[in-house]
Amino acid sequence: MFPFVGHGLTLFRRPLGFLNSLSAHGDLVEIRLGPQRAWLACHPELVHRILMDPRTFDKGGPQYDRLRPLMGNSLVTCGHEEHRGQRRLVQPLFQPSRIADYTTVMGEEAESVSREWQPGEKADVSAAMLALTTRVTSRVLLSDSLDAATSAELRDCLAALVRGLFLRTVVPLAPLFRIPTPANRRYRRAFARLHAIIDSAIDRRRQGPRRDDLLGSLLDAARDDGGEAVLTDQDVHDQLITLLLTGVESTAMCLGSVFSLLPAHPEVERRLHAEADAVLADGRRPGPEELSRLVYTRSVVTETLRVYPPGWLFTRTTTRETEIGGFRLPRGATVLYSPYLLHHDPASFPHPDRFLPDRWLPGQAAAVRNGALLPFAAGSRKCIGDTFAMAEATLAVAVIARRWRLRPLPGHVEQPRPAATLGPRALEMICEPRAHTRQGEAPRQVPAAPSKGTSHPAQLSPAVPADVTCTSREDRSQSGPNPPTTGIRATTRLWNFPRKGGEGASDE
């Protein structure tokens, strides 16, 4: 119906159902994003080939074309040749010793959120988690350079930009976004204000004493003390924008998803509460030691990242003609992969639509097959802040769960909504104060119960018409505990476009 947008309209309206329908059509599926051809890898072996060969599959495609005006040529968006130097500059911030230091900040901000809620009142959990991660990230990157009002404004700008980036990625038609619609105006206002906030923070820091944070390190690299400066002022600005955007939104989405899933899984919730009560007994403030003891809480966070990975769709661009999955791609081809699709493949994760944190407990059978769990990517471009994000999410869940049991509003189920990230964006819940379990109470094993109160894409009708011709193959879900990593299926083209319909997936 809208051939000029290709599959972009379906990917915008029903993205999760559309993605989960593609693996039935091949391991490498050709689709259309606007007028552009693109290939989506559906098999973990192909995805790892893409991630482990950044010289051939470099950062690029519609996603990064839209990110570069916002982030510049920074750690996330730069090409392969520049990446090592940029990563080396930022890496010290994320060393294990520094992560241990940050646990105090993480715990303080989680406790601050907990204190703001009142028994029996409705809490905007999505907004609270975004505020929490904004404060943690800004304190780590900028120390105390942002006051409370500016931090809140920063949070709102990031949320507006994330919503707008998704549509600009799946429908890469620039003229559409120059039309002065309310959504386009909101995006442009947020874009301008975010850059102004960061410029102001940098200017104030230059006039004050040096701080031992990322901004201090970046400004040191930008100073020319007789030699050539490593960074320009624009580089400093772009790196801060990048780390704020990536550090705030993804962890907030993960936290919202955790609290949206817990009420439907009471035994998981009970075990989580028991561990939080034991590890954080007597109001103990969490630190590195407590973090290491939150084993079950970390498993809950990991399973949430499997079910609802905040980073759910990524693009790459081929730098040369190459072969993948038995098909030759030209130079400049757009290649996509989806952690969400991989995480819901029964060949890699038995019962993929069940919320089972026990998959990740020590001593359990290996749950990751073919390297299919990819919430933080892999290879040299793996997320530099993965350890930071896991620590922040684990501590936040434990601190909040020790004080509160969050209950969904009667008759309302908040579904995860994909934008540039995936997660609940308007999650409101009722705060119930908890009666703490006794320290040392032994948690029981969680039965393999299906999720309740959530609708999983496996239950959605496919977004791809049934008459698409597919190559025959053996169902990977029947391949046993160690499916072979050979037998990649041929590429399938999806040139007939789905009919208009389905629920909306974004505010824009």
Side-chain angles (χ1 to χ4, degrees):
M1 189 171 182
F2 299 100
F4 65 95
V5 298
H7 294 97
L9 185 62
T10 302
L11 190 54
F12 173 67
R13 289 182 175 275
R14 301 184 63 253
L16 304 183
F18 177 70
L19 287 173
N20 266 9
S21 71
L22 293 181
S23 60
H25 301 283
D27 288 328
L28 187 69
V29 181
E30 182 179 344
I31 62 175
R32 286 271 189 164
L33 297 178
Q36 300 178 12
R37 301 165 69 192
W39 288 263
L40 192 142
C42 302
H43 192 288
E45 181 181 331
L46 296 186
V47 173
H48 274 269
R49 159 82 189 283
I50 292 166
L51 295 177
M52 301 307 289
D53 185 7
R55 291 182 181 275
T56 302
F57 301 94
D58 206 352
K59 288 288 184 83
Q63 183 179 43
Y64 294 98
D65 291 344
R66 301 302 172 267
L67 284 173
R68 286 190 179 102
L70 177 62
M71 297 180 173
N73 190 46
S74 60
L75 181 67
V76 168
T77 57
C78 70
H80 170 74
E81 296 300 328
E82 300 174 73
H83 177 254
R84 178 175 294 183
Q86 294 205 25
R87 190 178 182 98
R88 187 181 299 119
L89 184 68
V90 178
Q91 187 71 60
L93 183 74
F94 299 101
Q95 291 176 349
S97 60
R98 298 298 297 270
I99 301 297
D101 295 338
Y102 301 147
T103 57
T104 300
V105 173
M106 296 168 181
E108 288 174 355
E109 294 300 345
E111 289 173 352
S112 176
V113 166
S114 291
R115 288 193 298 267
E116 292 172 359
W117 292 340
Q118 298 299 319
E121 289 191 355
K122 181 172 66 175
D124 187 337
V125 176
S126 291
M129 297 304 100
L130 196 57
L132 187 161
T133 58
T134 299
R135 292 196 295 258
V136 169
T137 306
S138 62
R139 286 180 64 180
V140 168
L141 300 183
L142 306 168
S143 295
D144 56 357
S145 298
L146 303 182
D147 57 31
T150 305
S151 182
E153 191 176 9
L154 174 65
R155 174 198 68 206
D156 294 340
C157 289
L158 294 174
L161 290 168
V162 166
R163 288 193 295 267
L165 282 169
F166 173 51
L167 181 57
R168 287 160 172 77
T169 296
V170 299
V171 185
L173 297 172
L176 291 178
F177 305 109
R178 290 195 287 266
I179 301 171
T181 64
N184 287 341
R185 288 196 297 268
R186 283 195 300 271
Y187 185 86
R188 287 194 290 268
R189 282 196 301 267
F191 184 101
R193 183 57 187 146
L194 175 62
H195 285 277
I197 289 172
I198 297 305
D199 284 338
S200 179
I202 293 172
D203 290 342
R204 286 196 304 272
R205 179 63 65 83
R206 288 186 186 280
Q207 299 168 12
R210 187 194 184 282
R211 300 290 186 90
D212 185 21
D213 55 18
L214 178 72
L215 179 53
S217 299
L218 293 175
L219 289 176
D220 286 346
R223 291 190 178 99
D224 186 356
D225 296 326
E228 184 178 352
V230 177
L231 295 179
T232 66
D233 290 347
Q234 186 63 47
D235 292 334
V236 174
H237 173 102
D238 292 343
Q239 298 293 0
L240 282 178
I241 291 279
T242 295
L243 293 172
L244 277 169
L245 185 62
T246 55
V248 168
E249 176 77 11
S250 295
T251 308
M253 291 296 103
C254 173
L255 290 171
S257 294
V258 169
F259 291 114
S260 71
L261 286 164
L262 286 176
H265 303 87
E267 180 63 11
V268 172
E269 184 179 56
R270 188 198 68 79
R271 293 175 68 188
L272 174 70
H273 286 162
E275 182 175 81
D277 292 343
V279 175
L280 305 179
D282 304 319
R284 183 184 303 138
R285 178 163 290 180
E289 180 183 352
E290 287 72 27
L291 176 62
S292 68
R293 294 171 57 199
L294 292 169
V295 177
Y296 189 71
T297 307
R298 184 182 180 90
S299 298
V300 170
V301 171
T302 303
E303 178 69 349
T304 301
L305 290 171
R306 184 195 67 79
V307 175
Y308 295 134
W312 61 284
L313 184 66
F314 297 95
T315 65
R316 294 290 190 270
T317 298
T318 56
T319 60
R320 60 181 178 85
E321 183 179 336
T322 188
E323 185 276 332
I324 183 170
F327 190 80
R328 295 207 67 80
L329 298 183
R331 181 178 184 274
T334 296
V335 180
L336 300 91
Y337 76 94
S338 170
Y340 183 90
L341 185 156
L342 298 181
H343 293 182
H344 288 80
D345 186 346
S348 298
F349 301 99
H351 310 294
D353 293 328
R354 294 181 178 180
F355 185 64
L356 301 173
D358 279 24
R359 301 177 200 266
W360 311 106
L361 289 177
Q364 298 295 314
V368 182
R369 294 168 183 151
N370 298 334
L373 186 77
L374 289 170
F376 300 108
S380 63
R381 303 303 294 253
K382 183 180 181 181
C383 174
I384 196 171
D386 57 342
T387 304
F388 181 99
M390 285 299 299
E392 182 182 9
T394 300
L395 290 175
V397 168
V399 168
I400 294 171
R402 185 179 181 275
R403 180 177 294 199
W404 298 106
R405 177 180 287 105
L406 300 177
R407 288 289 168 259
L409 301 182
H412 177 75
V413 177
E414 171 65 16
Q415 299 291 345
R417 287 185 280 172
T421 54
L422 172 64
R425 301 185 182 278
L427 179 64
E428 294 182 328
M429 306 185 80
I430 303 297
C431 300
E432 291 183 1
R434 288 194 49 240
H436 296 163
T437 56
R438 292 188 299 274
Q439 183 173 353
E441 179 178 342
R444 299 190 299 271
Q445 290 295 312
V446 179
S451 302
K452 298 179 181 178
T454 57
S455 176
H456 291 285
Q459 300 165 346
L460 299 175
S461 58
V464 181
D467 60 354
V468 174
T469 302
C470 308
T471 57
S472 61
R473 61 151 181 158
E474 182 180 359
D475 187 353
R476 294 207 311 274
S477 66
Q478 304 299 319
S479 55
N482 295 296
T485 57
T486 57
I488 302 297
R489 294 165 291 156
T491 300
T492 300
R493 294 182 178 179
L494 302 185
W495 288 82
N496 45 337
F497 304 119
R499 293 186 297 274
K500 182 179 179 182
E503 58 272 25
S506 176
D507 290 339
E508 293 212 39

